[in-house]
């Protein structure tokens, strides 16, 4: 998963261009930049790779989600449906706008269950936000049908799934809007950074303005620009974008390495009776950043996870007990702890998650182990890792 594993000369060269010009800002300073527009360059490369009309870079994946929601007019009191298994950024980005995160069960795809989504729709629902956790997606056609029937937006959180696809289309490009993260541990990294992608020109117009204090970016005099609406600063810097310019060129190479490692390990684990794999919907292709598998029970999964790490198999996660990625450990959300007063709409409408029944999610997450695919493993190391995992797991199951 982490692009930082294969850092090199291209990254250094791109960053050096920016340091040489001294222009760290993505807008303006036209005469000083030696022709370097790293953020613009990365946006156009991504637009081509993701087959979309518009890309706008942001300071992080979290801010990309907030910008995407804001650009589509989501605001105070609007409900956004999101899964119980995701990174905390999902609900943070929603609450930042005074909107309300409505948690919904996952299924064996480890992301939104379309039937559970239908049951969660209310008059206030505006958006369905599937999160392509660990590189794979929900049944996106089913979610699209629900969106069309109810007039809702589909926003793909593809922060962990860049390079994956669904029915031939890049993940992130299927919904009305899609978001990527380029933080330090993602498939490709800028250090910190994110992107909003869309085919909708007006969302794009809103996104670049909203991310830069509402500046309309018309003309060359920043001081004379107009501000059609209130915004914020979610800009990416040229230094971060420069790193991304080098990394994006290697995306397909990274995915190919992940796929090779994933395939070796999956074939090995397939020999272990009792192990099954996460369902990838028809027409879906993962980005192979993780190998996700189910153990026969929660008890066995816990033991297997502990034993893998005791035996030196690193990079395997048991998200069920992890405090970033699964609702059970989101005490700050459950107890509505914020520094200041939350917006009235959030206080009034945020469901009481301490009482929620997510047993369907628990059923899957309690049995799931996810193993990170590293880029730096040699063929021999992957083979040995597979054998070691098989012997540890055979012992436990
Ligand atoms: C990493 C991540 C984010 C947030 O990205 P940052 O760049 O770290 O802010 C959002 N959603 C998911 C699923 C992520 O994994």
């Amino acid at each position: 998963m982490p692009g930082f594993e294969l850092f090199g000369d291209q990254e250094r060269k791109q960053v050096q261009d920016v340091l040489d010009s001294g222009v760290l800002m993505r807008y303006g300073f036209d005469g000083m930049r030696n022709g370097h527009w790293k953020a613009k360059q990365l946006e156009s490369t991504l637009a081509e790779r993701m087959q979309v009309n518009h890309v706008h870079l942001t300071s992080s994946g979290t801010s990309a989600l907030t910008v995407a929601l804001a650009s589509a007019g989501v605001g105070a009191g609007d409900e956004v449906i999101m899964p119980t298994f995701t990174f905390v950024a999902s609900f943070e980005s929603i609450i930042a706008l005074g909107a309300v995160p409505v948690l919904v069960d996952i299924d064996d795809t480890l992301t939104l269950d379309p039937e559970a989504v239908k049951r969660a729709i209310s008059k206030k629902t505006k958006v369905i936000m599937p999160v392509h956790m660990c590189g794979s997606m929900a049944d996106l056609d089913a979610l699209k049908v629900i969106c069309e029937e109810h007039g809702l937006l589909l926003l793909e959180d593809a922060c962990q799934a860049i390079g994956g696809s669904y029915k031939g289309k890049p993940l992130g490009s299927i919904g009305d809007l899609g978001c990527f993260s380029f933080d330090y541990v993602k498939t490709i990294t800028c250090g910190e950074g994110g992107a909003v992608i869309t085919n909708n020109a007006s969302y794009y117009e809103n996104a670049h303005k909203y991310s830069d204090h509402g500046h309309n970016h018309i003309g060359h005099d920043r001081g004379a620009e107009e501000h059609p609406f209130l915004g914020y600063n979610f800009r990416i810097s040229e230094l971060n974008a420069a790193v991304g310019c080098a990394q994006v060129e290697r995306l397909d190479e990274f995915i190919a390495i992940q796929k090779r490692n994933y395939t070796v390990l999956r074939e090995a684990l397939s020999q272990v009776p009792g192990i099954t794999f996460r369902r990838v919907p028809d027409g879906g292709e993962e980005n192979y950043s993780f190998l996700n598998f189910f153990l026969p029970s929660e008890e066995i999964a816990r033991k297997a996870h502990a034993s893998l790490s005791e035996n030196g198999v690193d990079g395997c996660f048991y998200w069920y007990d992890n405090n970033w990625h699964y609702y059970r450990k989101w005490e700050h959300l459950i107890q509505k702890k914020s520094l200041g007063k939350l917006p009235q709409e959030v206080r009034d409408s945020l469901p009481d998650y301490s009482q929620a029944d997510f047993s369907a999610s628990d059923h899957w997450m309690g049995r799931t182990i996810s193993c990170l695919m590293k880029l730096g493993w040699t063929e021999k190391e992957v083979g040995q890792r597979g054998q070691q995992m098989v012997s540890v797991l055979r012992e436990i199951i």
Side-chain angles (χ1 to χ4, degrees), residues 11 46 73 116 119 236 284 349 354 356 369-370 389 396:
E11 283 78 6
L46 278 170
R119 292 193 292 273
I236 194 164
S349 305
S354 67
I369 292 181
S370 301
M389 289 178 81
I396 302 277

Side-chain angles (χ1 to χ4, degrees), residues 155-307:
L155 165 56
E156 296 176 73
D157 177 342
C159 287
Q160 292 193 10
I162 192 165
S165 64
Y166 180 75
K167 304 200 171 167
K169 288 187 177 170
L171 291 177
S173 73
I174 294 141
D176 300 281
L177 291 141
C179 291
F180 296 116
S181 161
F182 307 120
D183 80 20
Y184 36 89
V185 293
K186 295 303 204 282
T187 304
I188 55 172
T189 183
C190 292
E192 297 280 5
V196 178
I197 71 173
T198 184
N199 284 311
N200 183 306
S202 96
Y203 296 163
Y204 167 70
E205 283 298 317
N206 290 341
H208 72 74
K209 291 169 191 157
Y210 184 75
S211 310
D212 185 24
H213 307 289
H215 277 285
N216 67 357
H217 303 134
I218 293 173
H220 288 276
D221 180 1
R222 224 172 136 69
E225 283 176 25
E226 289 177 351
H227 305 95
F229 48 75
L230 294 168
Y232 204 75
N233 179 2
F234 289 127
R235 290 187 309 257
I236 194 164
S237 86
E238 284 288 276
L239 280 174
N240 295 90
V243 176
C245 286
Q247 290 258 301
V248 73
E249 297 297 336
R250 306 179 74 185
L251 175 60
D252 293 327
E253 176 195 338
F254 292 175
I255 302 294
I257 297 171
Q258 288 179 170
K259 183 172 182 176
R260 184 196 72 198
N261 294 343
Y262 172 110
T263 306
V264 171
L265 295 179
R266 181 164 176 149
E267 271 168 19
L269 295 198
S270 304
Q271 300 158 21
V272 183
I275 288 188
T276 51
F277 297 92
R278 167 195 204 165
R279 179 168 64 86
V280 177
D282 286 345
E285 174 147 24
E286 303 181 58
N287 81 344
Y288 306 101
S289 49
F290 286 86
L291 176 62
N292 305 279
F293 55 96
F294 302 124
L295 284 299
S297 71
E298 184 182 321
E299 196 194 343
I300 295 174
R302 256 203 196 95
K303 275 193 196 150
H305 177 248
S307 183

Side-chain angles (χ1 to χ4, degrees), residues 351-365:
D352 181 1
Y353 288 122
S354 67
Q355 302 300 316
D357 172 11
F358 290 124
S359 47
S361 301
D362 291 342
H363 171 78
W364 295 110
M365 288 314 294

Side-chain angles (χ1 to χ4, degrees), residues 8-19:
D9 290 343
Q10 291 108 314
E11 283 78 6
R12 268 188 289 278
K13 165 156 192 333
Q14 291 284 347
V15 171
Q16 195 63 47
D17 286 343
V18 177
L19 294 176

